Structures are given as structure tokens and as C-alpha cells.
Amino acid sequence: MESFATDLDVLREIVGAWIFSPILSGFFAVILYFIFKKRLNKAKIHLLHLDFYTRWGLLIVGAFGAYSLGANNIANVMGVFTGIMEIPNYDLGFLTFTGAQQLFLLGGIAISVGVVTYSKRVMLTVGSNIMDISPIGAFIVVLASSTTLFVFASSNLKDFLIMLNLPSLPLVPVSSSQAVVGAVLGLGLAKGGRNINFKLLGKIGVGWILTPITAALISFILLFFMQNVFIRSVI
């Protein structure tokens, strides 16, 4: 029976990205906050015009956020299947879906269902329970977190940085929730650290630690039952 060893180098990259992504997102949020603060104070835009620009800005960065989420987090949903399943191409005549594209489509639908059904409480936690966020603050948070997801998913950006002999980030899936929370925390610290619910942040941090541990335990238990109860070879 063929055995598969864990690639510790890849695992280290994933764990490193898991730790670094909220820090990077918070850094982006701090930079964006001071840029927009300086620009808005200097521009003195009328309140109604500012509201109009903010609404359109939120729509644009929201679309960018959805794109970055799909580009990065689809690996969390369907990435494990790409190397073990051979799915034939599906030909519609005018359009052909490869096996990988079919998996991506299924994963995208699953993410959409999750957004519609169970995302409200999570959104309320991030959007108001950690700290009160203004519309412009929301723009900064979404842009910072989306940029973080994008830099961990863009092969073109990685190749460009390598061409310039600059350090590049690994192309690994990172947590969108960690990126958003990091951006919210960065924004709050840039504003002086007032009104940040650090108690809730502590609970979120514990959740970040317990999530992979819980997933590993569940995976171990399922593997044990498959191999010892159902006598099924998994690997």
C-alpha cells in the first residue's frame, strides 16, 4: 500500500501564513486609514458627495473582496479533492468545464449557500461587536482584508516579486475571517485603540487555535473508524 508522508515544508508555510495574514491585514488597514484620513481632511468633500463616493466604494471593494475570497478560500473548500479525483470534462457544446472547474463551481455554490444561511451572526460580530465601524472604516477593512487574501492567491504577483528579487508570499489558502479581524484590529489601533472589545478578540483568538485542533481530532477519529471498524483503506 502506498503511503503519503506529510510535507512539513508546506505545512510550515500554511501555519506561517495563518499567523501572518491577520498581521498583514492589520498593517494594510493602518496604512489605508492614515492615507484616507489625510486625503479626506485635505479634500474637504461635501457630506452628501462623500456618502455617494463611499457607497460606490463599498460596492467596488465588496466585489474585490468576493473575488479575493473565491480566489483564495476555494482551496479550503475543494482543494483536497483536486489531486485524488479524476472528474471528466463536461461539454455543453459552446462551453467545456474541466474537472477542476466543476469542483470550483461546486465550491463556489457551497460558499454562497453558507453566506445566505449562516453568515449573519459572524458578520454582526465582525462589523459591530469588536468595535463600531463607520462606512469609511468598513471600506478600509474590506479593502485591507481583500488585499491580504489576494496577495496569498495571485501567482502573477508572486512571479513579479520574484522577478524583482523581492521576497514573495506563498500561494496558500488563508482564513478570510482572520484577515478581516486583523483589519478591524489594525483600524482600531490606528484610531487610538479606543472602543475595541479585547475580551471578544480573546475569544476569537481561542477559536482560531481550537479550530484546527478540533478538525485534526475529528479527522483522526474518522480515520480510526474507517480503518478499524469499517476495515477500509483510506491511504
Side-chain angles (χ1 to χ4, degrees):
M1 180 178 62
E2 184 180 4
S3 61
F4 298 89
T6 301
D7 192 327
L8 295 180
D9 290 333
V10 174
L11 183 60
R12 278 192 289 267
E13 285 187 347
I14 293 175
V15 173
W18 178 69
I19 297 172
F20 183 62
S21 61
I23 299 174
L24 180 62
S25 186
F27 173 77
F28 284 150
V30 170
I31 298 299
L32 289 170
Y33 170 76
F34 286 111
I35 290 175
F36 277 95
K37 181 180 179 181
K38 182 178 180 179
R39 291 291 184 181
L40 291 175
N41 289 339
K42 185 177 181 180
K44 300 185 183 300
I45 303 174
H46 190 277
L47 182 61
L48 293 179
H49 291 164
L50 180 61
D51 179 72
F52 175 79
Y53 297 145
T54 303
R55 290 174 184 270
W56 274 102
L58 287 171
L59 287 174
I60 293 171
V61 297
F64 176 52
Y67 169 79
S68 299
L69 177 66
N72 188 284
N73 275 213
I74 195 67
N76 289 328
V77 182
M78 307 304 291
V80 294
F81 299 111
T82 56
I84 61 174
M85 296 179 63
E86 293 186 5
I87 301 176
N89 295 343
Y90 187 75
D91 190 2
L92 297 176
F94 62 93
L95 184 64
T96 300
F97 286 97
T98 65
Q101 288 173 333
Q102 293 175 55
L103 286 174
F104 295 157
L105 177 61
L106 181 60
I109 294 173
I111 291 175
S112 300
V113 172
V115 169
V116 173
T117 54
Y118 290 104
S119 65
K120 182 177 180 180
R121 290 187 63 183
V122 178
M123 288 192 295
L124 290 175
T125 297
V126 173
S128 59
N129 292 348
I130 297 177
M131 61 173 285
D132 292 328
I133 302 176
S134 66
I136 296 178
F139 174 87
I140 292 172
V141 167
V142 175
L143 182 57
S145 59
S146 301
T147 303
T148 301
L149 293 177
F150 178 77
V151 298
F152 280 102
S154 175
S155 58
N156 291 331
L157 177 61
K158 180 177 181 178
D159 293 340
F160 177 72
L161 293 175
I162 292 175
M163 183 182 66
L164 297 178
N165 294 320
L166 295 174
S168 62
L169 295 174
L171 301 181
V172 296
V174 295
S175 170
S176 57
S177 60
Q178 288 182 230
V180 171
V181 171
V184 173
L185 180 58
L187 176 65
L189 293 176
K191 297 174 68 174
R194 298 180 298 274
N195 301 321
I196 298 177
N197 190 341
F198 287 102
K199 183 178 180 180
L200 178 59
L201 282 176
K203 293 180 180 179
I204 293 174
V206 172
W208 289 352
I209 297 172
L210 291 180
T211 298
I213 295 175
T214 303
L217 288 175
I218 293 174
S219 179
F220 177 82
I221 293 171
L222 291 176
L223 177 63
F224 176 84
F225 272 90
M226 290 295 293
Q227 291 186 330
N228 296 278
V229 177
F230 298 102
I231 318 299
R232 301 286 295 183
S233 176
V234 177
I235 57 174

